[in-house]
């Protein structure tokens, strides 16, 4: 009687089928860390160090491992890595609006800095920032397992006592005055407004009118307060503020009102878009810039040099704000930084052709006549 080549209780052919199935699984599972190590001629531990972005690997060895990963199509198992390290290499961003120039520049800087640090970014726009929507945004990010959150909100929305940030998740607030003990990063809004107002006063203007941003905006509030304070320090009573909504159209409508007032010789607009709208209104009503009216903006848009005339404005370093917010957040994640701090990024004055001395000063200069 021939002896069958099978195990007791195992049907004939099962071992052969199992081997085929195992081979098929190996072929479809994709390359493993061992496959990469073999191809690169290094240990699996070295591949793991390169995969995790550690720096204790020689550059030549790192390049061999990266080349092997690319050739084999190897992708690190990020879920397994997160379970092991407790970090997901992901940062959440909660943003009130995507329409403003400053927010988009800041978001771009955040994404760049996060990517350079090996982190991905998950964006949650909040169109109607109430307690429920803010809490919902945090829950969505928590479900997506982020390591920390950057919040870009307006102060008057976060100042509500019932809107709080989670204590168990590292967070940085940009463009806010939340005052909850969370780290904040912002441009020096007051400094920029002071530069703008003082520049116009130094040219000889006796009054500076202000086109303010929305009353709900932290940035607009601080620019307005600094403008008013600078005038008061010069012994000048500030005129009524005319508020826009950051748009060119709102600046245009306010500009039409100011253009009809012959006493208006200097305008400080809270952003460049509203300054552009005001300049259009002045042109339409025959008020020459800067001969009749000087105009200063805020933000330093790329297009500001193409305004007619090119716009004098306040430069904000949005890249620095985004980069510093990520640096702060990563230090919190690593447990190397206290959460109670406030980082202020300086502004600078950019003088172009939209500002000049008023006519009353120019006609008194030697060699000038009325």
């Amino acid at each position: 009687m021939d002896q069958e080549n099978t195990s007791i209780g195992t049907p004939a052919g099962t071992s052969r089928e199992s081997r085929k199935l195992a081979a098929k699984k190996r072929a479809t599972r994709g390359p493993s860390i061992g496959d990469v190590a073999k191809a690169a001629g290094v240990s699996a531990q070295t591949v793991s160090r390169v995969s995790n972005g550690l720096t204790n690997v020689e550059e030549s060895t790192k390049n061999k491992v990266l080349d092997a990963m690319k050739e084999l199509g190897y992708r690190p198992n990020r879920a397994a890595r997160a379970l092991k390290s407790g970090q997901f290499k992901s940062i959440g961003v909660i943003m009130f609006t995507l329409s403003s120039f400053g927010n988009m520049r800041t978001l771009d800087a955040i994404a760049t800095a996060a990517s350079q640090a090996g982190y991905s970014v998950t964006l949650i726009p909040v169109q109607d920032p109430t307690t429920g929507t803010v809490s919902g945004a945090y829950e969505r990010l928590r479900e997506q397992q982020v390591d920390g959150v950057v919040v870009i909100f307006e102060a008057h929305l976060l100042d509500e006592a019932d809107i709080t940030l989670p204590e168990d998740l590292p967070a940085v607030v940009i463009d806010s005055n939340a005052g909850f003990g969370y780290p904040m990063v912002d441009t020096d809004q007051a400094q920029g407004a002071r530069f703008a107002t003082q520049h116009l006063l130094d040219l000889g203007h006796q009054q500076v009118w202000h086109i303010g941003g929305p009353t709900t905006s932290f940035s607009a509030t601080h620019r307005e307060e600094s403008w008013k304070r600078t005038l008061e320090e010069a012994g000048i009573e500030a005129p009524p503020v005319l508020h826009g909504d950051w748009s060119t159209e709102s600046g245009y409508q306010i500009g039409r009102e100011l253009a009809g007032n012959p006493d208006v010789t200097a305008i400080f607009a809270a952003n460049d878009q509203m300054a552009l709208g005001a300049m259009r209104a002045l042109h339409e009503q025959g008020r020459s810039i800067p001969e009749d009216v000087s105009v200063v903006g805020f933000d330093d848009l790329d297009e500001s040099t193409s305004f007619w005339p090119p716009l004098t404005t306040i430069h904000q370093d949005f890249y620095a704000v985004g980069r510093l917010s990520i640096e702060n957040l990563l230090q919190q994640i690593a447990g190397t930084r206290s959460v109670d701090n406030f980082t202020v990024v300086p502004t600078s004055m950019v003088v172009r052709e939209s500002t000049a001395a008023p006519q009353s000063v120019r006609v008194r200069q030697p060699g000038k006549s009325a």
Side-chain angles (χ1 to χ4, degrees), residues 155-176:
H156 301 295
L157 302 172
L158 279 181
D159 277 346
E160 298 297 328
D162 54 355
I163 296 180
T164 59
L165 309 181
E167 296 181 357
D168 60 339
L169 193 62
V172 173
V173 179
I174 292 179
D175 191 28
S176 179

Side-chain angles (χ1 to χ4, degrees), residues 198-213:
Q198 192 63 53
H199 170 69
L200 292 167
L201 294 177
D202 290 344
L203 288 172
H205 294 277
Q206 299 302 302
Q207 183 60 277
V208 178
W209 293 75
H210 184 47
I211 301 178

Side-chain angles (χ1 to χ4, degrees), residues 28 34-35 55 67 69 78-79 105 133 135 162 167 173 175 185 230 261 301 304 317 346 356:
T28 57
D35 297 330
T55 59
D67 289 342
M69 287 180 176
R78 298 190 182 278
R105 279 296 179 87
T133 57
S135 300
D162 54 355
E167 296 181 357
V173 179
D175 191 28
V185 180
T230 303
N261 184 348
L301 294 173
S304 295
D317 193 344

Side-chain angles (χ1 to χ4, degrees), residues 51-81:
S51 177
N52 283 284
L54 301 181
T55 59
N56 57 340
V57 181
E58 291 185 3
E59 191 67 22
S60 59
T61 302
K62 176 183 175 181
N63 290 334
K64 285 196 299 184
V65 172
L66 293 175
D67 289 342
M69 287 180 176
K70 184 177 180 180
E71 181 179 349
L72 296 175
Y74 173 76
R75 295 292 182 272
N77 189 332
R78 298 190 182 278
R81 181 193 304 169

Side-chain angles (χ1 to χ4, degrees), residues 204-338:
H205 294 277
Q206 299 302 302
Q207 183 60 277
V208 178
W209 293 75
H210 184 47
I211 301 178
T215 57
T216 56
S217 167
F218 166 78
S219 299
T221 298
H222 276 251
R223 294 172 197 179
E224 179 181 326
E225 289 174 348
S226 183
W227 156 80
K228 184 177 182 180
R229 185 164 53 249
T230 303
L231 289 179
E232 290 175 345
E233 290 173 355
I236 301 171
E237 182 179 354
V241 180
L242 303 172
H243 291 102
D245 60 7
W246 299 128
S247 70
T248 303
E249 177 61 24
S250 68
Y252 172 70
Q253 295 300 334
I254 294 171
R256 292 181 62 185
E257 180 177 346
L258 293 176
N261 184 348
D263 294 331
V264 174
T265 66
I267 297 173
F268 163 42
N271 75 339
D272 287 354
Q273 286 98 332
M274 293 192 298
L276 175 60
M279 291 169 74
R280 175 193 164 193
L282 291 166
H283 286 310
E284 287 182 351
Q285 296 197 35
R287 302 292 301 277
S288 180
I289 305 170
E291 289 78 12
D292 297 328
V293 183
S294 289
V295 180
V296 178
F298 203 113
D299 281 343
D300 194 19
L301 294 173
D302 293 339
E303 297 81 5
S304 295
T305 57
S306 298
F307 290 7
W308 187 251
L311 181 65
T312 294
T313 187
I314 300 300
H315 176 77
Q316 294 196 84
D317 193 344
F318 296 112
Y319 178 81
V321 171
R323 175 179 54 80
L324 290 170
S325 68
I326 291 298
E327 288 181 3
N328 189 307
L329 189 64
L330 294 182
Q331 288 171 358
Q332 287 186 64
I333 292 171
T336 60
R337 185 172 190 139
S338 168

